[in-house]
Amino acid sequence: MIKKLVDKIVETNAPIVVGLDPMMKYLPKHLADVAFEQYGETLEGAAEAIWQYNKGIIDNIYDIVPAVKPQIAMYEQFGIEGLKAFKKTVDYCHEKGMIVIGDVKRGDIGSTSEAYAVAHLGKVNVGSKAITPFDEDFATVNPYLGSDGINPFIKVCNEQDRGIFILVKTSNPSSGEFQDQLINGRPLYELVGEKVNEWGASSMDGDYSNVGAVVGATYPEMGRVLRKVMPKAYILVPGYGAQGGQGKDLVDFFNPDGLGAIVNSSRGIIAAYTKEQYAKFGEKNFGEASRQAALDMIADINGALGK
Amino acid sequence: MIKKLVDKIVETNAPIVVGLDPMMKYLPKHLADVAFEQYGETLEGAAEAIWQYNKGIIDNIYDIVPAVKPQIAMYEQFGIEGLKAFKKTVDYCHEKGMIVIGDVKRGDIGSTSEAYAVAHLGKVNVGSKAITPFDEDFATVNPYLGSDGINPFIKVCNEQDRGIFILVKTSNPSSGEFQDQLINGRPLYELVGEKVNEWGASSMDGDYSNVGAVVGATYPEMGRVLRKVMPKAYILVPGYGAQGGQGKDLVDFFNPDGLGAIVNSSRGIIAAYTKEQYAKFGEKNFGEASRQAALDMIADINGALGK
């Protein structure tokens, strides 16, 4: 699956992913009005509004952006109805030819980790049938439980041609409380990065591995080190834009081949219409504002990479 | 909420929780037959079979066991239909007066962690309404992202009188790959335990904190240390039975007041009918076999505690 993502990044010349993290406060009012009129102020109403919001953005970016990253928490908070909107979004992105990175941050052990892998990347056996539950192409995974938590995901990745991104160094201010602690003189995130490299060797797909890593844009100096620790891992980079990262900070997350990283922006793209820079589009044209913000982000990153 | 759990443990004299982790291979055949006849070999059919399985167990244990711990991965793998069975199980356990620990192992940062907390422990705002999505009493949480990931959960716990159990030392063989690594001469899990103690201070509820910890039964010597590092944290102890833990190994997870720990068994209880020891009940009476296994587990632990 990583080869498919790399091909798509090369084709679009856009090493970016748009985080579909719909928050109610960013939802254009007219979408909520219509949905609440139809379904009331219910979970179903919220889910419908979110779905229309996503659709408006996807329709405006699918030809220029290779991948989306829906954050499942933003759907899960609306219960079953929210998760239906998540699934609808995944399917629609696939219809539009986009690759879907499920930002689910799951992780458990043994048969439980396998159940999560099956839920998001595989097929589940029901009697004599094998059925696809959520059907993302990639999922994000938490490494705190070690190999017992990761190997079941890799098994499903290899069987179904899917991929994972393992949290190595996250973009948040407190990520260092545990991740930066020194073990024999080296930070925990480096140790996790080494394991990512080791785990990834069993799932190569072209020049890169289906086992990638998450490293926050907010820590470029750590990205530089981790790029070398895990040369075959694609790095998913959150923290661009709203959290402070910029194109010029991200150069060292990439390999000399100009590949190896995909940068995520969520609010910066999906809520672009709320920003002064894109206010001219107006709330009704939130999708066009998102498209312009995506184009600007691509130009920023490609500019920094000299492409 | 921890006070409610403690009261319930005292009332039942049973410091145990039953893991409702329905795996297809343990599902009594007659339940699958009926469900598949009604819904076909579909996700809906699987979800119905799981629900009937859970109901059969809950009906047989609710008066002697204080709490259940449904593992959401086992439901999530059946997609939307599986999650409906999860929600139905949570609601039914509440009807029966049981406390529900959602074993969801979620964890993210900022507004995303808050969305998970809202999904599982709180209420979500939809227009002018506040609606309860999944409604568990406790959730398990992964600490790898640090305070930014935990504090939003504590906020919801304090607002809604709920609780969390943070993964400190997990029961699996490879948990040591990261958790046991030495930082200034002390293992990472102790550092996490110290943070649990610190986080927990802001959510006291009676003698204990709403912020508890997960420490595997398979590592009793670490349980002994962690018990002292986080004296106010309730310890949720997985790994009893199937994974090897026994009552006599668990004494040091408890405080001198005879409280402070709740031991989980999943397969050992829900699949009791498949074990030689309880084969006499037969597959049709799987619920009665579960009840007997729960009684035996309670006796084992209380015996070790000299109660």
Side-chain angles (χ1 to χ4, degrees):
Chain A
M1 180 53 72
I2 191 67
K3 189 172 181 314
K4 197 172 158 191
L5 178 60
V6 172
D7 289 349
K8 191 92 189 161
I9 289 171
V10 171
E11 181 196 319
T12 52
N13 194 31
I16 74 160
V17 48
V18 170
L20 295 176
D21 308 355
M23 293 179 73
M24 279 312 222
K25 63 182 170 186
Y26 299 129
L27 213 133
K29 192 176 171 301
H30 64 284
L31 296 183
D33 288 347
V34 172
F36 290 163
E37 191 165 329
Q38 194 174 358
Y39 298 102
E41 288 179 344
T42 61
L43 296 178
E44 212 176 348
E48 170 64 15
I50 285 172
W51 157 242
Q52 294 297 341
Y53 183 33
N54 284 350
K55 189 171 176 303
I57 293 159
I58 297 160
D59 285 344
N60 278 281
I61 62 166
Y62 75 92
D63 58 328
I64 55 167
V65 171
V68 292
K69 181 174 77 61
Q71 166 52 262
I72 202 169
M74 296 303 172
Y75 303 81
E76 204 163 306
Q77 70 180 330
F78 296 101
I80 301 292
E81 297 301 328
L83 289 161
K84 283 188 199 166
F86 176 83
K87 170 71 176 137
K88 218 161 152 178
T89 299
V90 171
D91 291 347
Y92 190 67
C93 290
H94 281 154
E95 266 177 48
K96 291 289 189 182
M98 303 188 90
I99 288 173
V100 180
I101 301 170
D103 197 354
V104 298
K105 295 191 179 68
R106 301 301 194 249
D108 209 291
I109 55 171
S111 55
T112 311
S113 246
E114 188 168 346
Y116 277 131
V118 157
H120 294 283
L121 306 174
K123 291 177 194 295
V124 67
N125 294 317
V126 179
S128 60
K129 305 265 172 62
I131 306 175
T132 304
F134 284 106
D135 201 24
E136 298 117 274
D137 302 305
F138 290 87
T140 55
V141 179
N142 188 307
Y144 189 67
L145 292 82
S147 299
D148 301 329
I150 302 297
N151 287 331
F153 276 94
I154 297 179
K155 178 172 169 266
V156 171
C157 285
N158 286 340
E159 285 167 4
Q160 309 282 340
D161 187 22
R162 305 290 168 115
I164 54 175
F165 291 97
I166 297 173
L167 305 186
V168 173
K169 172 68 189 170
T170 55
S171 60
N172 55 308
S174 79
S175 68
E177 281 174 9
F178 305 126
Q179 297 165 23
D180 293 3
Q181 293 292 332
L182 295 182
I183 292 154
N184 297 323
R186 295 172 64 212
L188 173 60
Y189 63 77
E190 271 191 50
L191 187 67
V192 177
E194 275 174 15
K195 292 298 285 186
V196 166
N197 195 52
E198 192 185 312
W199 290 322
S202 61
S203 193
M204 289 299 294
D205 178 27
D207 294 335
Y208 287 93
S209 171
N210 286 317
V211 179
V214 175
V215 183
T218 41
Y219 299 103
E221 69 287 5
M222 302 178 188
R224 191 174 309 136
V225 173
L226 286 165
R227 178 64 290 167
K228 297 197 175 86
V229 168
M230 9 172 240
K232 300 298 183 190
Y234 235 78
I235 302 182
L236 170 63
V237 189
Y240 179 90
Q243 288 182 58
Q246 282 186 294
K248 63 180 173 50
D249 304 321
L250 303 177
V251 176
D252 292 334
F253 288 78
F254 289 81
N255 272 323
D257 61 3
L259 296 168
I262 183 164
V263 183
N264 178 76
S265 177
S266 300
R267 267 173 292 173
I269 306 288
I270 69 171
Y273 80 93
T274 65
K275 295 181 197 313
E276 207 183 316
Q277 196 182 350
Y278 305 108
K280 61 177 186 242
F281 288 97
E283 193 171 0
K284 292 252 177 190
N285 301 312
F286 64 96
E288 283 89 338
S290 295
R291 182 182 181 89
Q292 189 56 52
L295 287 168
D296 292 347
M297 180 183 172
I298 294 165
D300 175 39
I301 294 171
N302 282 345
L305 291 173
K307 283 205 211 177
Chain B
M1 180 53 74
I2 191 69
K3 188 171 183 314
K4 197 171 159 191
L5 178 60
V6 172
D7 289 348
K8 191 91 189 161
I9 289 171
V10 171
E11 179 196 318
T12 52
N13 193 30
I16 75 159
V17 48
V18 171
L20 295 176
D21 308 354
M23 292 179 74
M24 279 311 223
K25 63 181 171 186
Y26 299 129
L27 212 133
K29 191 177 171 301
H30 64 283
L31 296 183
D33 288 347
V34 172
F36 290 163
E37 192 166 329
Q38 194 175 358
Y39 297 101
E41 289 178 346
T42 60
L43 296 178
E44 212 175 348
E48 171 63 16
I50 286 171
W51 157 241
Q52 293 297 341
Y53 183 33
N54 284 351
K55 190 172 177 303
I57 293 159
I58 297 160
D59 285 344
N60 278 282
I61 61 167
Y62 75 92
D63 58 328
I64 54 168
V65 171
V68 292
K69 181 175 76 62
Q71 166 51 261
I72 202 169
M74 296 303 172
Y75 303 81
E76 203 163 308
Q77 70 179 331
F78 296 102
I80 300 293
E81 297 301 328
L83 290 161
K84 283 188 200 166
F86 176 84
K87 171 71 177 137
K88 218 160 152 177
T89 299
V90 171
D91 291 347
Y92 190 66
C93 289
H94 281 155
E95 267 178 49
K96 291 289 188 182
M98 303 187 89
I99 289 173
V100 180
I101 301 171
D103 197 354
V104 299
K105 294 191 179 69
R106 299 302 194 251
D108 209 290
I109 54 170
S111 55
T112 312
S113 246
E114 188 168 346
Y116 277 132
V118 157
H120 294 283
L121 306 175
K123 291 178 194 298
V124 66
N125 293 317
V126 179
S128 60
K129 306 264 173 63
I131 307 176
T132 304
F134 284 105
D135 202 23
E136 298 117 273
D137 301 305
F138 290 87
T140 55
V141 178
N142 187 307
Y144 189 66
L145 292 81
S147 299
D148 301 329
I150 301 298
N151 287 330
F153 276 93
I154 297 179
K155 179 172 169 266
V156 172
C157 285
N158 287 340
E159 284 166 5
Q160 309 282 340
D161 187 23
R162 305 291 167 115
I164 54 175
F165 291 97
I166 297 173
L167 305 186
V168 173
K169 172 67 189 170
T170 56
S171 60
N172 55 309
S174 78
S175 68
E177 282 174 10
F178 305 127
Q179 298 166 22
D180 293 2
Q181 294 291 331
L182 295 182
I183 292 154
N184 298 324
R186 295 171 64 212
L188 173 60
Y189 64 75
E190 272 191 49
L191 188 67
V192 177
E194 275 175 14
K195 292 298 285 185
V196 166
N197 194 53
E198 191 184 312
W199 290 322
S202 61
S203 193
M204 289 299 294
D205 178 28
D207 294 336
Y208 287 92
S209 171
N210 286 318
V211 179
V214 175
V215 183
T218 41
Y219 299 102
E221 69 288 6
M222 302 177 188
R224 191 174 310 136
V225 173
L226 286 166
R227 178 65 289 165
K228 297 197 175 88
V229 168
M230 11 172 239
K232 300 298 182 191
Y234 236 78
I235 302 182
L236 171 64
V237 189
Y240 179 90
Q243 287 182 59
Q246 283 187 294
K248 64 179 172 50
D249 303 323
L250 302 178
V251 176
D252 293 335
F253 288 78
F254 289 81
N255 272 323
D257 61 3
L259 296 169
I262 183 163
V263 183
N264 178 75
S265 177
S266 301
R267 268 173 292 173
I269 306 289
I270 68 170
Y273 81 93
T274 65
K275 296 184 196 311
E276 207 183 315
Q277 196 183 348
Y278 304 107
K280 62 175 186 244
F281 288 96
E283 193 170 1
K284 292 253 176 188
N285 301 312
F286 65 95
E288 283 90 336
S290 295
R291 183 181 179 88
Q292 189 56 53
L295 288 168
D296 292 347
M297 180 183 173
I298 294 165
D300 174 39
I301 294 171
N302 282 344
L305 292 173
K307 283 205 210 177

